[in-house]
Amino acid sequence: MVIGITCYPVAGGSGVVATELGQQLAARGHEVHFVSYALPFRLDTYQANLMYHGVETTAYPLFKFPPYTLTLAAKMAEVARNFKLDVLHVHYAVPHAICAYLARQLLAEGNGKNPKIITTLHGTDITLVGSDPSFYDITRFSIMASDGVTAVSKYLADETTEMFKLEQPIRVIHNFFDEKRFQPHGTQCCRKEFVQDGEFLIAHVSNFRPVKRTIDVIDIFERIAREVPSKLLLIGEGPDTILARRQISKKGLNDRVIFLGNQSRVEVILPCADLFLLPSEEESFGLAALEALACGVPVIGTAGTGLVEVIDDFQNGFLLPVGETSSMARAALSLLNDPDRLVQFKKNAFELVRKRFVSEKIVSQYEQYYEEVLGG
Ligand code: GMT
């Protein structure tokens, strides 16, 4: 198949999933074309069957806001026409789904081959952005105008159906990890660079947006560090990074916390950790949690979110109500203070996700879905 993929190229779950999917599809022999405003994060090495088409925005004094959506739609149509795309797969509904719709209208004008449009919903495109009154109608329209719609969890599919009062089915295709790269005790594990013998390493990866509750991460860590020698490794950056730094200083934890910023190869670092914290307000799936589990790291996350489809409560982590930082710290200490239990949870972490979320399995589900949509 010839597949176009559009995603946000910056660090973030939807871009990572789109990029890794494109790489896996290309490795399976499909021709993959990325269309975005920059080379996607993690698409940092050359690969056969994989091409990138950059979208430019035009500056003009009248444009207070450069019309990226229009240039993106035009580029999608150009790539679809030139390379005869079978499928145009857009990740994150806003604004990519409506751009794909526009591209299809442009192609119809020229009597060209029309690719099937598949929209993958990732989470905040629905729960925060798409549901905002200013975006609601256009998001609903663009979902309904897609030839196929997938969501990264049942939780998100149900939320979307209810929120937008949809009748069309949404196919649940969970996120995945590359089982060749994400492994426990990775060969390049750098634990000694972060902690001394006898210290625990607690990790958190996110884009530091308010929805991630970074302050809760620090609060949980402070409670852990009071009881056991430990360090906190923070990977990623975003609007709440400054807030996090201030809180860390205020709590006198500067010598206990390591900031690494954005990292494209988290699989080299995560296997060094003992525990991963993801106390988000909202999480449609929690790719960061999956990648930690795949590296053999148990996760503490929030109940009532898509994380329930990723974490097996009391087996490879704990699910607790949002904001309950003292319960989360207690759960963490129940593992860190019990070496046998910690070893068991680490083992379960890798083993349980390997059964359900390996790329081998999930990428085939996308291929099958493309075939179904192409078959009408
Ligand atoms: O987590 C974010 O805010 C980024 C966002 C994105 O689209 O980049 O992540 C969402 O998509 C990820 C990939 O499917 C999911 O694993 C995350 O759970 C989801 N984030 C939220 O729902 C908050």
Side-chain angles (χ1 to χ4, degrees), residues 94-158:
V94 184
H96 301 147
I98 201 70
C99 295
Y101 170 80
L102 202 49
R104 191 172 59 188
Q105 300 299 106
L106 282 170
L107 288 164
E109 281 285 300
N111 275 333
K113 178 183 168 185
N114 250 334
K116 294 287 183 189
I117 296 172
I118 295 180
T119 299
T120 289
L121 311 172
H122 280 272
T124 50
D125 46 352
I126 297 302
T127 54
L128 295 181
V129 185
S131 57
D132 185 274
S134 58
F135 282 115
Y136 183 90
D137 286 340
I138 203 159
T139 306
R140 182 170 189 271
F141 175 83
S142 64
I143 291 173
M144 292 195 326
S146 301
D147 298 300
V149 182
T150 77
V152 297
S153 61
K154 182 173 180 309
Y155 166 83
L156 181 61
D158 291 347

Side-chain angles (χ1 to χ4, degrees), residues 12-14 17 92 122-124 152 175 207 209 211-212 282-287:
S14 60
V17 171
Y92 207 91
H122 280 272
T124 50
V152 297
N175 287 335
N207 48 24
R209 295 201 192 124
V211 72
K212 301 293 175 180
E282 182 65 64
E283 205 63 74
S284 70
F285 180 89
L287 182 68

Side-chain angles (χ1 to χ4, degrees), residues 32-290:
V32 178
H33 296 264
F34 277 92
V35 184
S36 190
Y37 64 81
L39 195 67
F41 179 73
R42 288 204 192 173
L43 195 68
D44 47 8
T45 45
Y46 166 76
Q47 192 181 331
N49 295 336
L50 212 152
M51 267 166 271
Y52 163 69
H53 308 271
V55 180
E56 276 148 36
T57 48
T58 314
Y60 185 70
L62 264 185
F63 298 156
K64 185 172 173 196
F65 309 104
Y68 170 66
T69 43
L70 298 185
T71 44
L72 173 60
K75 182 59 90 177
M76 283 171 165
E78 180 193 313
V79 173
R81 195 182 303 115
N82 291 348
F83 295 92
K84 302 193 171 25
L85 297 186
D86 296 305
V87 169
L88 177 54
H89 187 174
V90 299
H91 291 258
Y92 207 91
V94 184
H96 301 147
I98 201 70
C99 295
Y101 170 80
L102 202 49
R104 191 172 59 188
Q105 300 299 106
L106 282 170
L107 288 164
E109 281 285 300
N111 275 333
K113 178 183 168 185
N114 250 334
K116 294 287 183 189
I117 296 172
I118 295 180
T119 299
T120 289
L121 311 172
H122 280 272
T124 50
D125 46 352
I126 297 302
T127 54
L128 295 181
V129 185
S131 57
D132 185 274
S134 58
F135 282 115
Y136 183 90
D137 286 340
I138 203 159
T139 306
R140 182 170 189 271
F141 175 83
S142 64
I143 291 173
M144 292 195 326
S146 301
D147 298 300
V149 182
T150 77
V152 297
S153 61
K154 182 173 180 309
Y155 166 83
L156 181 61
D158 291 347
E159 284 263 302
T160 309
T161 302
E162 197 185 318
M163 198 175 283
F164 291 100
K165 299 176 183 49
L166 299 176
E167 280 174 15
Q168 82 205 94
I170 296 178
R171 178 69 59 89
V172 175
I173 303 184
H174 284 127
N175 287 335
F176 61 90
F177 65 94
D178 180 347
E179 54 278 25
K180 294 193 191 80
R181 289 181 12 237
F182 286 82
Q183 305 233 346
H185 316 299
T187 45
Q188 300 169 54
C189 184
C190 41
R191 190 179 167 91
K192 282 198 164 56
E193 287 174 29
F194 304 124
V195 284
Q196 293 172 356
D197 286 347
E199 278 182 327
F200 291 108
L201 187 62
I202 317 296
H204 169 75
V205 179
S206 80
N207 48 24
F208 289 72
R209 295 201 192 124
V211 72
K212 301 293 175 180
R213 297 184 70 100
T214 315
I215 297 305
D216 282 8
V217 173
I218 296 160
D219 190 37
I220 300 163
F221 175 69
E222 185 195 21
R223 291 166 191 270
I224 295 173
R226 258 188 239 148
E227 305 290 327
V228 293
S230 43
K231 289 228 172 94
L232 176 65
L233 191 61
L234 295 175
I235 300 177
E237 52 192 74
D240 281 353
T241 310
I242 293 173
L243 196 70
R245 284 190 189 275
R246 280 201 201 120
Q247 188 74 354
I248 287 160
S249 292
K250 201 166 131 196
K251 289 182 178 283
L253 292 170
N254 281 325
D255 60 340
R256 303 270 97 209
V257 183
I258 305 151
F259 275 92
L260 290 185
N262 282 330
Q263 296 286 328
S264 61
R265 291 279 167 251
V266 286
E267 68 272 22
V268 180
I269 307 163
L270 284 175
C272 309
D274 296 294
L275 197 62
F276 189 88
L277 304 177
L278 197 62
S280 314
E281 180 97 39
E282 182 65 64
E283 205 63 74
S284 70
F285 180 89
L287 182 68
L290 175 63

